[in-house]
Amino acid sequence: MEKIPLVVSTEWLEQRLDDPKLRIIDATAFMDIPRDGGPPSILSGKPSYEQGHISGAVHIDLLNELSDPESSLPFTVPPRDYFCRKMTELGIGDGTYTVIYDQGALVENPVIAAYWASRLAWQMHYEGYENIAILDGGLPKWKQEGRPLTTVPGNYPSTVCTGQRRTELLASKEDVKRAMNDDNVILINSLSPEDFKGTTDAYPRKGHIPSSVNVFFGDHADQQTQKMHADAALRQPFEKIGALDLDKKVITYCGGGLASTWTALILNTLGQTNVAVYDGSLNEWISDPTCPLVMGN
């Protein structure tokens, strides 16, 4: 099967809607961050999906369907059998290619980032799936351009997945601890500059992991066009910190393993393939008082 790009345009997708090998996933969820700080609330995107979605798309609830039900942390990878069973029941597996979209990162926030879609794409890559793309601009851009929607639920025949788990794509807390003192590993904090510095109340313990550098996940796309920036603009912040050096390993993290997958995807599109996501991210790190944090730049 022809290898597809990591990111595809709305035009590219609409031209292939009738391809029997195409699988489309609506990974929409909604994160609402309280104005006075505190933990965010996550709302399912299923009601929105039912009101209108791209033809053929099935909806997946990342929090309730594809996170580890035994974990005390949200958005951590489930056992492989659990994940693959869900995906293959939906018809996503061998002999198919997948395009994933969502409706944006945050409720009532202009930041453009497909981190629900990138989270699912990363989980699929981790479990050995191939030929996975993110829809540039997601459903908002699709609707802005007047492309067709349907309320008919997607339905694909069940299949199998014979890929193997790619353990190198996931970083553990111990990996991050070692990386703090390893010049060959670059730690990237994907949160806002304010969260990175520790000037917000977003987390019970403030600051960032020592030696990590900040590249905000919301700076990779244009709010007006809703498209990702051109390569030259995308490259600049990563080149500045040496993250595109192919002799280096990169570990991305955020608050709960969402925005960090968007950063990882951007790095992959720029040619950096040695990227792991710290799945537990700050949710795990700050819950362990022996894990250090630093304030400021």
Side-chain angles (χ1 to χ4, degrees), residues 244-284:
L244 299 182
D245 183 342
L246 300 183
D247 292 327
K248 304 279 189 180
K249 180 180 179 66
V250 181
I251 296 176
T252 65
Y253 75 94
C254 55
L258 294 169
S260 52
T261 65
W262 179 238
T263 302
L265 174 73
I266 300 297
L267 284 163
N268 292 160
T269 67
L270 298 173
Q272 176 57 280
T273 57
N274 194 7
V275 185
V277 170
Y278 175 24
D279 194 34
S281 283
L282 285 181
N283 282 338
E284 179 181 50

Side-chain angles (χ1 to χ4, degrees), residues 26-29 42-46 59-67 75 86:
D26 183 324
T28 297
I42 310 295
L43 304 174
S44 172
K46 188 66 177 292
H59 182 266
I60 288 182
D61 184 327
L62 282 167
L63 178 61
N64 296 308
E65 295 181 308
L66 292 181
S67 294
F75 300 113
K86 178 64 179 178

Side-chain angles (χ1 to χ4, degrees), residues 76-94:
T76 51
V77 295
R80 174 175 168 78
D81 289 349
Y82 178 101
F83 182 89
C84 291
R85 181 171 64 252
K86 178 64 179 178
M87 300 301 284
T88 54
E89 285 174 354
L90 289 172
I92 300 159
D94 293 358

